[in-house]
Amino acid sequence: MKIKNILISGLGVLALTACNDYLDVDTPSKYSIEDVFSSQKDANEALNGVYASILASDCFGQAYTYSLVLNSDVDYVSDSKESKQTNTPKRYDCDASSGTVNKVWKATYAGIENANNFIVNLQEGSIYDEDNANVMQMLGEAKVLRAMLYYELLCYWGDVPFTLEPTSSTEDFAPAIESRDVIAKALVEDLKEAATHMKFAENIAEGVERASKEACWALISRISLQAAGYSLRHVEGDATSYGYMAKPDQELEKYFLTTARAYADSVISSGTHSLTKDYQEVFYDECNMIVSNADDIIFDLPFAIEASGYIGYRQGPQFQSNGGETNYTWGECGGNQYVESFYRYSFAKDDARKYVGEGFWYYDYQGTPVLRASYGLHNLKWSKIWNTTSAYTNISTGNTGINFPYLRYADVLLMYAEADAKLTGEVNADALQALKTVRERAFRNGGTDPFVDPTDADDFIKKILDERKWEFAGENMRWKDLVRNNMLSETLYWTFMRNYAVAEDAGVGVSWGDLIEEHDGVEYFDNALLPNYLTYIYVQNPAKSKIDLSYYQNTTLPCLFILNPEAANADLKTTDESGTQIHSAVQIRNNPQWWFDDKGLDFKAIKKPNDESVDKVTWTESAEFFTKWYDEDGGYPQAQVRYSLYGYIRGGVDAGDYSSIYIIENGTPKKIEAGVVPESLPVVRYLLPIPREALRRGGYTNYYGY
């Protein structure tokens, strides 16, 4: 295959705007390979074709940022299907016929082939010169993009076909499957060499929208840390077994951990990035096409308005359309990438990151907010409606052009801390400070941080993983973190039980409640933290309202202010004359002029505003269902509770057995005794199958019960 045939095959020429117009790709079909790689300008356009590959919808454009974001205790999309499906990776339930899996596999390997072609042809081209900084930077960028694609394959498939040469230059168009350990080490060694010739982001015209030296270092750390941890491995010769969780041998584990720490430290020591911006500002700037080269983001996947990317369409509130149009100039938003409903209860009270998971409402096409009574909350980290640059129209849909932060400095700091703790078995000052640097940003604008220094390395690692849980919602990090620390099975078990207990509480009372509260350390039920109803205030004009809505970035659209459902965490307790507490008083965003009594499930205003905004607020004293997840007629939790983790744990599906719970072990459902935690939990079949099309063409074999 010639480069002219595969460079941007199926992708077309990108019409790019705003901050990423440098990715304009001039189709190279009228040039020979020798022509393309005899000019730095033409070679750069060929490199843009490699970038175009990874930005495709079946790659990072949508697949790795949405379709393959697997359900956990952070990212979570409910599913009501009560039978096995072939195409639902999110709930760990698909097979080799999955159309999604097949498209992602093909797109990922197409991107790798493009990168391999570019690398080989550049090295053989007349402009190749190891003393030419621009040429070597292009080479390094292509190697980073290739390594990103292989890294995702390792996370989703384990052992995979591997080659650093174009398949067109080999006798066999189907590379042999290689061990994940061998692949990870080969990628790391390749990137180490590439990094020595690459430029810092501040010295690249496009900044963090290109892969830089820091990005290369950070990727080395990420690949190494994941490779050092646990992963699902197959039983040799047994394709029916779901496999077992294991780490690489001790020598290789030490190599990977040492590398992860060293290259994370290289980024930190370079001083080229910081956490100067507030947490939410990082993402609001992305929604407004603002690129910062020295702050949190190290490598930003450079999508283009009306051309690529679904960031800010999937996340944020849904905005419905009518005949493809809305009454506002942001257009339709899918809003179907959620966080788990109870994720917010894991945060400290004053953690600024908490409010990315507080999207309780959506919009109809007229722009009227409607309460979202769902099994997940909207992830508010990104949204098209945060944009203030008039970038969209009332018929816009996806292809938002909002960038995705593939590598962030906060991630580097936490990777450094995790690798150091695992290497040394101690809590070292530099590693602890790395963790605290991330955490301090979340509390820098006031509030109390309840952080307590870790007592030992195990406690330290737990605190690091918690910090990652709060930091990276919607960034496809959580399940990978859980996998490498062998925590996925346990976490999915408790995620299911938490939802199940809340559903039961709404129907027949709680049988699992005490176990859930003990595990989570949150007194959900006794303190009415999980009301079946939410009461809200309709705010017509957020810009004029005296309610502090600073966490909500759109001041044009009306919104709902949800009265604090966590009444037990309120600052003020009201007592009767004898001093006996009778109910909580909930303070709205620490504004002392606005108080509401919490008496049972009803909230009523104690003091209303005395200014011009009073007619801009609709005070709603009616309540609506929120966690009423119990089927009163059937006598069991709703299907969305029972089947959203179908491939690992689920409610019964046989007639008359809907109230039972089964956990899946090697494909066999095993009934769990009510109120009793199993002594051991089986592995989760999180690795995806090699698609049938590849099996037929490549002679490969599927394990893990596929």
Side-chain angles (χ1 to χ4, degrees):
M1 298 173 69
K2 301 294 187 183
I3 189 170
K4 68 178 183 180
N5 294 325
I6 72 164
L7 189 60
I8 51 175
S9 175
L11 296 172
V13 178
L14 294 183
L16 297 158
T17 59
C19 54
N20 21 58
D21 57 2
Y22 69 91
L23 274 184
D24 266 329
V25 180
D26 184 8
T27 177
S29 59
K30 59 181 178 289
Y31 304 115
S32 67
I33 293 176
E34 291 76 13
D35 289 337
V36 171
F37 292 97
S38 64
S39 158
Q40 287 189 36
K41 178 181 180 298
D42 291 340
N44 188 65
E45 289 178 352
L47 178 59
N48 289 343
V50 183
Y51 275 92
S53 296
I54 73 165
L55 301 181
S57 180
D58 291 329
C59 205
F60 288 103
Q62 187 165 203
Y64 289 127
T65 55
Y66 170 70
S67 304
L68 296 187
V69 179
L70 308 183
N71 281 354
S72 69
D73 57 341
V74 176
D75 307 295
Y76 192 86
V77 175
S78 64
D79 195 308
S80 63
K81 301 179 185 69
E82 64 179 44
S83 59
K84 175 178 167 52
Q85 305 297 303
T86 62
N87 197 34
T88 53
K90 289 179 182 291
R91 69 173 194 165
Y92 306 92
D93 181 31
C94 66
D95 61 28
S97 68
S98 168
T100 296
V101 170
N102 186 47
K103 287 189 291 185
V104 175
W105 175 276
K106 288 166 61 177
T108 303
Y109 273 106
I112 289 170
E113 181 77 353
N114 286 356
N116 282 341
N117 269 286
F118 178 86
I119 291 165
V120 168
N121 286 309
L122 178 64
Q123 291 175 321
E124 294 177 353
S126 61
I127 61 168
Y128 185 72
D129 179 357
E130 292 187 1
D131 293 326
N132 187 314
N134 293 330
V135 170
M136 298 307 290
Q137 170 64 26
M138 285 191 283
L139 179 65
E141 289 181 45
K143 289 189 172 187
V144 167
L145 300 181
R146 177 175 67 184
M148 286 169 54
L149 295 170
Y150 270 124
Y151 167 74
E152 299 296 335
L153 288 172
L154 296 179
C155 289
Y156 285 100
W157 279 276
D159 303 340
V160 293
F162 178 65
T163 178
L164 297 180
E165 298 290 331
T167 59
S168 56
S169 65
T170 65
E171 294 182 0
D172 187 356
F173 283 85
I177 286 181
E178 185 58 88
S179 159
R180 71 203 67 181
D181 301 327
V182 172
I183 296 173
K185 188 171 184 180
L187 295 174
V188 164
E189 293 300 318
D190 186 53
L191 291 176
K192 284 181 181 180
E193 194 281 329
T196 62
H197 303 287
M198 296 183 72
K199 301 177 182 180
F200 288 109
E202 63 184 3
N203 297 322
I204 301 172
E206 300 83 15
V208 296
E209 290 186 301
R210 287 280 196 178
S212 63
K213 183 185 288 287
E214 308 100 297
C216 190
W217 286 341
L219 185 58
I220 291 171
S221 184
R222 176 177 289 181
I223 293 171
S224 298
L225 186 61
Q226 198 73 25
Y230 287 89
S231 62
L232 186 60
R233 296 169 186 262
H234 69 266
V235 178
E236 193 65 38
D238 185 356
T240 64
S241 169
Y242 275 22
Y244 60 96
M245 296 295 290
K247 295 190 290 186
D249 63 58
Q250 289 186 353
E251 182 179 353
L252 197 54
E253 178 190 11
K254 183 177 180 181
Y255 162 83
F256 282 129
L257 287 175
T258 302
T259 302
R261 181 178 64 177
Y263 280 86
D265 183 60
S266 293
V267 179
I268 297 168
S269 300
S270 72
T272 55
H273 290 271
S274 68
L275 300 182
T276 302
K277 290 183 180 181
D278 288 344
Y279 180 76
Q280 205 64 24
E281 183 184 2
V282 172
F283 305 100
Y284 294 148
D285 279 357
E286 285 198 306
C287 295
N288 285 284
M289 317 303 167
I290 298 171
V291 177
S292 300
N293 294 326
D295 202 82
D296 190 5
I297 296 175
I298 293 175
F299 182 35
D300 225 9
L301 295 184
F303 296 110
I305 298 172
E306 303 297 345
S308 58
Y310 276 72
I311 304 302
Y313 175 85
R314 296 294 186 193
Q315 302 87 357
Q318 180 188 17
F319 206 126
Q320 296 176 338
S321 65
N322 181 23
E325 297 184 4
T326 68
N327 277 10
Y328 285 83
T329 57
W330 294 279
E332 178 187 275
C333 295
N336 53 354
Q337 187 160 352
Y338 298 102
V339 292
E340 198 233 359
S341 287
F342 311 120
Y343 173 52
R344 68 186 185 278
Y345 295 108
S346 68
F347 287 88
K349 180 174 178 291
D350 298 319
D351 191 327
R353 298 168 297 192
K354 177 177 182 176
Y355 301 112
V356 305
E358 215 172 65
F360 286 97
W361 73 89
Y362 66 96
Y363 291 97
D364 64 18
Y365 75 96
Q366 294 175 317
T368 302
V370 183
L371 192 69
R372 169 68 74 191
S374 184
Y375 301 85
L377 297 176
H378 292 296
N379 179 354
L380 301 184
K381 188 176 281 187
W382 300 272
S383 177
K384 279 199 302 179
I385 68 175
W386 303 157
N387 183 275
T388 60
T389 68
S390 301
Y392 308 107
T393 70
N394 69 333
I395 60 171
S396 295
T397 54
N399 290 333
T400 64
I402 296 172
N403 286 354
F404 180 78
Y406 187 76
L407 293 164
R408 292 205 278 124
Y409 186 56
D411 184 23
V412 169
L413 290 165
L414 294 174
M415 288 193 296
Y416 174 83
E418 184 178 341
D420 185 78
K422 289 178 175 178
L423 262 178
T424 66
E426 298 176 354
V427 182
N428 294 312
D430 288 345
L432 181 57
Q433 184 54 53
L435 167 61
K436 288 185 174 181
T437 298
V438 175
R439 187 168 182 84
E440 285 164 359
R441 176 173 62 174
F443 293 88
R444 69 165 53 135
N445 292 323
T448 302
D449 182 358
F451 184 83
V452 177
D453 283 353
T455 56
D456 55 36
D458 289 340
D459 184 37
F460 187 28
I461 292 171
K462 180 183 183 303
K463 290 182 186 297
I464 293 166
L465 294 175
D466 281 344
E467 209 63 39
R468 294 184 66 86
K469 173 181 178 179
W470 300 319
E471 184 73 19
F472 299 116
E475 297 181 53
N476 203 1
M477 296 277 207
R478 181 59 174 169
W479 76 271
K480 295 172 182 174
D481 293 345
L482 294 171
V483 163
R484 73 168 177 275
N485 288 281
N486 199 19
M487 295 168 57
L488 183 61
S489 293
E490 178 185 2
T491 300
L492 293 184
Y493 170 83
W494 287 107
T495 299
F496 178 89
M497 289 304 177
R498 186 181 304 114
N499 282 263
Y500 200 88
V502 171
E504 279 196 326
D505 184 50
V508 297
V510 178
S511 62
W512 293 89
D514 290 343
L515 287 172
I516 299 300
E517 290 185 337
E518 180 181 356
H519 177 267
D520 287 4
V522 178
E523 295 181 356
Y524 297 119
F525 305 98
D526 294 340
N527 289 279
L529 287 184
L530 300 177
N532 288 324
Y533 301 89
L534 286 179
T535 310
Y536 59 88
I537 304 169
Y538 178 89
V539 183
Q540 179 64 41
N541 191 336
K544 290 187 176 182
S545 174
K546 292 187 74 173
I547 300 176
D548 182 0
L549 295 167
S550 58
Y551 67 97
Y552 178 65
Q553 291 301 297
N554 189 308
T555 60
T556 302
L557 287 169
C559 66
L560 303 181
F561 182 85
I562 307 298
L563 297 174
N564 189 353
E566 301 165 45
N569 291 340
D571 295 328
L572 180 65
K573 303 293 184 182
T574 304
T575 59
D576 61 20
E577 293 179 355
S578 68
T580 302
Q581 180 179 314
I582 55 175
H583 58 268
S584 303
V586 181
Q587 185 180 10
I588 296 182
R589 294 285 186 267
N590 299 315
N591 186 333
Q593 296 183 16
W594 291 67
W595 291 91
F596 291 80
D597 268 348
D598 169 17
K599 296 180 179 179
L601 297 176
D602 259 323
F603 290 84
K604 294 184 179 179
I606 295 175
K607 185 174 182 178
K608 294 186 178 181
N610 186 23
D611 71 347
E612 71 280 358
S613 70
V614 69
D615 62 344
K616 302 297 184 185
V617 178
T618 300
W619 298 83
T620 304
E621 294 182 5
S622 62
E624 297 200 22
F625 289 117
F626 182 59
T627 56
K628 194 72 171 178
W629 297 350
Y630 195 79
D631 187 321
E632 297 283 3
D633 296 329
Y636 41 75
Q638 299 279 15
Q640 289 88 337
V641 172
R642 290 180 283 137
Y643 304 132
S644 294
L645 295 169
Y646 187 94
Y648 180 63
I649 184 171
R650 61 180 183 251
V653 296
D654 295 330
D657 190 32
Y658 290 115
S659 60
S660 298
I661 300 173
Y662 294 86
I663 199 159
I664 314 305
E665 184 170 6
N666 275 341
T668 302
K670 293 188 175 182
K671 190 173 181 178
I672 296 176
E673 185 178 351
V676 178
V677 181
E679 292 184 3
S680 62
L681 294 169
V683 298
V684 182
R685 188 177 67 174
Y686 69 87
L687 288 179
L688 299 177
I690 299 173
R692 286 181 182 172
E693 185 176 328
L695 294 176
R696 289 195 296 266
R697 294 183 179 181
Y700 305 134
T701 301
N702 262 329
Y703 289 91
Y704 312 109
Y706 289 115

